[in-house]
Amino acid sequence: MRTELVRFGRTTSAGTRARRAAAALTVASALMIPFATTTVASAAPVARTAPVALAGPAYTQTSGATVTSVDWLSDRRVALWIESPSMGTPIQVQLLLARDWNINPQATFPQVYMLDGLRATDQENGWTAETDAESYFADKNVNVVLPIGGQSSFYSDWVDQDNGKNYQWETFLTKELPPILERDWRSTDTRGVVGLSMGGTSAMFLAARNPGFFKFAGSLSGILSTTSLGMPQAIQYAMTDAGGFNSSAMWGPPSNSLWAQHDPYMLADKLEGVSLYISSGNGSAGPYDQPSPIPGVSTNYAGMGLEILSRLTSQTFATKLNQLGIPAQVNYRPSGTHSWPYWQFELHQLWPQLATALGVEVDKPACSAAGLIGNASGANSWLGPCLTAEYNVAGGRAQDFTFGRVFFTPDTGAQVVAGAIGGIYQGNRGPEGALGFPTTGEIGTPDGRGRFNAFQNGMVYFTPQTGAHAVKGAVLDEWAAQGYEGGPLGYPVLDEVETPNKPGSVQGFEIGAIYTSPDAGVHSVQGMILGKYGELGWEGGALGFPKSNELGPIRDGGRFNQFETGNIYWSPLSGAWSTPYGPIFDAWGSVGYEGGRLGYPTSDQFDIDGGGKQQNFQFGIITLKDGVATIAP
C-alpha cells in the first residue's frame, strides 16, 4: 500500500519528508477553527451567504467524444479509450460492470465515479491499483467509472495548458463521457461520486457545480476549502511536488474568482439534496500505519501533515453544511494518516449510504452453486462466492462468481473462464460469439510462461508480457501445425483483424504474423523478412500476400518466403531483400539463385539512369534495360 504522497515505490529522504510535514503543519496551523460535530445538519440553520457565481452553465450533455478502442480486461472490467474533443487527446476510462450485467442483459445500472488522488497515473486508477475496489464492487449492482490520469488536475477545466497537458476534466466527465456510458454501456443518469484527497475535493465541487448530476458525493481525506488562508499556497506546493504543475494554469492566481468557484466550502449551499459523506483521520498513527519511535507518530510523515489539512478543512466544510441545514454523514476517525488503507476502509463504510442514494440494494441477493457448476466452482475455490444464480446462455448455462464465470453444456461440461482470458472471451461475445463454449478450464502451457482455455471454435492464450488473445480458425490450424507457442512464432500479441488493403486477415505473434487470403492461403512471415515486407507495404505493396511459410535453411543459413508476386530472401551476411518475379528474378535463377555465383541479393530493385532497373547481389549485379536482363560480372 502507498500513501497519496508516495506512489509506486517512490521514496524521499527523511529530511525531505520532515520539511514537507513541517510545511503542511504550518498551513494547518493557519487554518485552526472550531471543530464541527459529526453527521446531520443543525436544527437552527443560519442565513446563507451570497452564492458564488459559477463559470459556465449547469450540467448539459454534449456530443463529439468517440470511443476509439475497447479492451476487455476481465469479464466485467473493461477499458475504453475515448477521444475527447475538449482535451484533444485519447482518455482512458475503465469500467467495473454491475453484478447483474451478464444475467440480465437488458438491465441498466446507476453509476459510481471513483476519483483518484493528486498522483494519479496514466496507467491505472488508484482505486483498483491500491485497494480491493474491484472485488468489493463485484457483488454491487452499479457500473463503476474509473477515469485514468489527471495527475494534479483536480478534475477541473484549466484556464491554460501546463506540463504538456490540456486539462478539461470537468467537461469530459460531465458532458462528453455521459452520453457514451448511457448509450453503449447500459448506464442510467443516476450517479454518485467518491474521491480521495484531490478526488475528494473534486467530488464535492463537481456535485455543487453541476446540479442534479450526482445524487451522492463522498470526500475521503479531501481538502474541502481551497481559498482559506494558506490553502492556495499549500495546493501549489502539492502540485509542484506531484508532477511539477503550476496552479495558476489551473484557476489563475489565487485572486482569480475561479478559485472560489471550485471551493467546496464556498459552494456548500449548492449541495442541498445531495447525499454527502465526509471522512478524515487526524494525522496520528492508526491501525494501518507503521509507528515511529515517537508515540502516536507514524513513519508516514507527509501523510500525517496532509491528513491534518484534510481534517481541518473537512471540519470547516462540515460546520458550514451544519449551519446551512444540509445533512451529511461526517466521520472524524480517532487516528489515521493520508494513505490508501484508510480510504479502502471508508469505501466499505460508505457503501450503504451510497447504495441507498442510488436506489440499489445494499446486499446482494442470496445465491448458491449446485450440480456440475457447483462442482467446478468448488474445485476452483479462488473463484470466490457466487454473485448470481445460474442462467441460460446460448444453449447452455452459466453462473457468475466474484473472480470469474462457470459455463456448462452437456457436451463441454462445466468449465471455468476467468481473468484476462475471461475478458477476451467476453469481448468476443462469450458463448454466443465465434469461440463458442469453453471445453477446458484454464491450463498452464508447457513452457510455464502462459495459460490458455480451449473453446469449441478456438483458444485464448495469455502471458503477463503479451496479454490475452484469441486464436481461431485457419490461423489456429497453421499456428498449431508450427507447434503452438513452442513453435517459431511464439505467443499471440494481437487479435486477428481484417487486412486493410485486400480481402484477408492477419494476426500478430511475438516473432511474426500469420496471414490468410482467399487466393494465397494461410502462411506465416517472421523476423527480418517480416520487417522488409512491412517496408514494402505489407499485403498492399508490390508483393501481395505470402504464399509460403518461411523456407530454409538454405545457403549460409539463409531463409526466404514466397509471395504472390515475388520472394523475400534473408541471410545473416546479406540481410533481407525482395526479389519481384520478372526478368531480373529469372536471370538470377538462371545462375542458381542464392546458391549460384551471385549469392544473395544485397538490395531491392531500384531505378537507374537512362531507364531500366538494377539489383545488387553479394557477388555481382543484374541490370534490366529495354526488357533485357544483363548479369555482371
Side-chain angles (χ1 to χ4, degrees):
M1 293 293 185
R2 64 169 170 90
T3 68
E4 176 52 21
L5 190 65
V6 182
R7 187 163 192 169
F8 296 137
R10 178 183 174 191
T11 58
T12 54
S13 68
T16 300
R17 292 195 298 268
R19 286 192 297 274
R20 289 175 178 167
L25 290 168
T26 298
V27 176
S29 66
L31 292 168
M32 283 294 189
I33 49 89
F35 281 13
T37 57
T38 301
T39 64
V40 297
S42 165
V46 299
R48 297 173 186 259
T49 57
V52 174
L54 298 179
Y59 162 67
T60 55
Q61 291 187 359
T62 61
S63 60
T66 56
V67 177
T68 58
S69 179
V70 177
D71 297 324
W72 286 87
L73 308 179
S74 75
D75 67 291
R76 285 197 321 281
R77 181 174 175 181
V78 61
L80 310 180
W81 289 92
I82 301 170
E83 191 67 37
S84 165
S86 63
M87 290 199 258
T89 191
I91 302 298
Q92 184 187 176
V93 175
Q94 292 189 10
L95 306 178
L96 305 178
L97 300 175
R99 179 195 69 225
D100 290 348
W101 181 268
N102 295 317
I103 193 173
N104 193 351
Q106 305 305 315
T108 56
F109 306 96
Q111 306 172 52
V112 179
Y113 282 40
M114 300 294 290
L115 303 183
D116 209 337
L118 202 70
R119 295 179 181 274
T121 75
D122 292 334
Q123 288 73 48
E124 185 176 1
N125 187 294
W127 281 108
T128 52
E130 303 291 346
T131 77
D132 66 351
E134 183 173 7
S135 60
Y136 183 71
F137 276 111
D139 65 358
K140 312 294 190 288
N141 230 12
V142 294
N143 287 340
V144 178
V145 182
L146 297 153
I148 311 296
Q151 182 184 42
S152 285
S153 69
F154 280 86
Y155 294 103
S156 61
D157 289 355
W158 285 33
V159 298
D160 201 0
Q161 298 183 27
D162 187 34
N163 231 5
K165 302 292 187 180
N166 177 31
Y167 282 150
Q168 301 294 314
W169 276 101
E170 183 172 2
T171 294
F172 176 77
L173 292 174
T174 65
K175 295 177 171 59
E176 296 174 354
L177 180 60
I180 292 171
L181 299 180
E182 292 169 30
R183 181 186 66 236
D184 302 330
W185 293 95
R186 294 164 51 192
S187 297
T188 70
D189 63 359
T190 299
R191 307 177 193 87
V193 60
V194 178
L196 70 301
S197 190
M198 172 189 84
T201 309
S202 306
M204 289 300 168
F205 74 61
L206 286 173
R209 287 172 55 85
N210 298 273
F213 191 79
F214 292 115
K215 292 187 178 296
F216 173 96
S219 169
L220 315 183
S221 303
I223 304 300
L224 299 184
S225 173
T226 61
T227 59
S228 55
L229 179 64
M231 282 312 304
Q233 292 74 27
I235 289 172
Q236 175 60 73
Y237 177 87
M239 291 173 62
T240 299
D241 187 67
F245 289 91
N246 189 337
S247 63
S248 293
M250 180 169 66
W251 301 326
S255 58
N256 193 308
S257 63
L258 287 175
W259 281 82
Q261 292 174 24
H262 294 84
D263 186 338
Y265 178 84
M266 301 295 289
L267 301 175
D269 63 315
K270 301 182 184 301
L271 290 167
E272 189 168 12
V274 180
S275 179
L276 301 175
Y277 185 98
I278 302 160
S279 72
S280 68
N282 69 355
S284 65
Y288 302 116
D289 290 296
Q290 182 176 351
S292 72
I294 305 172
V297 176
S298 166
T299 55
N300 179 13
Y301 301 113
M304 291 176 60
L306 289 170
E307 199 64 13
I308 291 172
L309 287 179
S310 171
R311 170 65 71 91
L312 293 171
T313 60
S314 294
Q315 289 171 334
T316 305
F317 179 66
T319 297
K320 186 170 185 180
L321 291 175
N322 207 12
Q323 293 170 340
L324 293 170
I326 297 175
Q329 177 67 34
V330 184
N331 293 297
Y332 299 138
R333 303 302 179 187
S335 62
T337 60
H338 209 70
S339 52
W340 282 101
Y342 295 102
W343 302 324
Q344 174 175 295
F345 168 80
E346 294 294 348
L347 175 62
H348 293 214
Q349 301 307 301
L350 66 80
W351 168 248
Q353 181 181 341
L354 173 58
T356 300
L358 299 184
V360 299
E361 66 272 25
V362 175
D363 299 315
K364 74 176 178 69
C367 62
S368 62
L372 294 177
I373 288 181
N375 292 342
S377 66
N380 295 273
S381 58
W382 53 267
L383 280 171
C386 64
L387 302 179
T388 68
E390 284 188 28
Y391 53 95
N392 294 325
V393 286
R397 301 280 286 170
Q399 188 168 10
D400 293 1
F401 295 81
T402 302
F403 297 106
R405 304 169 76 187
V406 180
F407 295 88
F408 169 80
T409 73
D411 293 335
T412 59
Q415 309 293 349
V416 174
V417 185
I421 292 176
I424 292 298
Y425 187 47
Q426 183 83 322
N428 279 271
R429 299 181 56 243
E432 295 181 349
L435 290 170
F437 279 90
T439 58
T440 70
E442 193 172 296
I443 301 171
T445 53
D447 62 6
R449 230 185 109 200
R451 301 187 69 78
F452 70 92
N453 275 71
F455 297 84
Q456 289 173 310
N457 304 312
M459 307 177 83
V460 178
Y461 276 78
F462 166 82
T463 75
Q465 297 78 26
T466 61
H469 300 281
V471 192
K472 55 187 183 294
V475 173
L476 176 59
D477 293 341
E478 179 59 39
W479 188 50
Q482 295 188 31
Y484 294 105
E485 75 283 352
L489 294 175
Y491 285 90
V493 297
L494 296 170
D495 298 327
E496 184 178 352
V497 296
E498 293 183 359
T499 46
N501 301 302
K502 294 181 178 179
S505 71
V506 61
Q507 181 159 14
F509 293 79
E510 288 180 296
I511 314 173
I514 295 178
Y515 283 83
T516 70
S517 162
D519 297 326
V522 185
H523 303 288
S524 64
V525 190
Q526 62 199 60
M528 295 186 70
I529 292 178
L530 179 64
K532 171 57 67 173
Y533 185 46
E535 289 178 21
L536 298 173
W538 311 109
E539 76 285 347
L543 294 179
F545 280 99
K547 292 186 66 176
S548 77
N549 295 332
E550 188 174 284
L551 302 173
I554 51 178
R555 178 179 178 175
D556 298 331
R559 295 179 175 274
F560 72 102
N561 271 76
Q562 297 173 328
F563 295 83
E564 290 180 296
T565 60
N567 296 350
I568 296 179
Y569 287 82
W570 170 86
S571 80
L573 299 176
S574 61
W577 303 100
S578 67
T579 55
Y581 299 148
I584 291 179
F585 182 85
D586 294 340
W588 184 45
S590 71
V591 293
Y593 297 111
E594 78 287 344
R597 62 188 177 88
L598 292 178
Y600 284 97
T602 57
S603 77
D604 296 322
Q605 291 183 15
F606 57 90
D607 296 332
I608 56 177
D609 293 340
K613 292 185 177 293
Q614 177 177 313
Q615 184 159 21
N616 299 332
F617 295 82
Q618 287 176 304
F619 308 111
I621 62 173
I622 300 177
T623 57
L624 177 67
K625 285 190 175 183
D626 300 324
V628 177
T630 302
I631 299 174

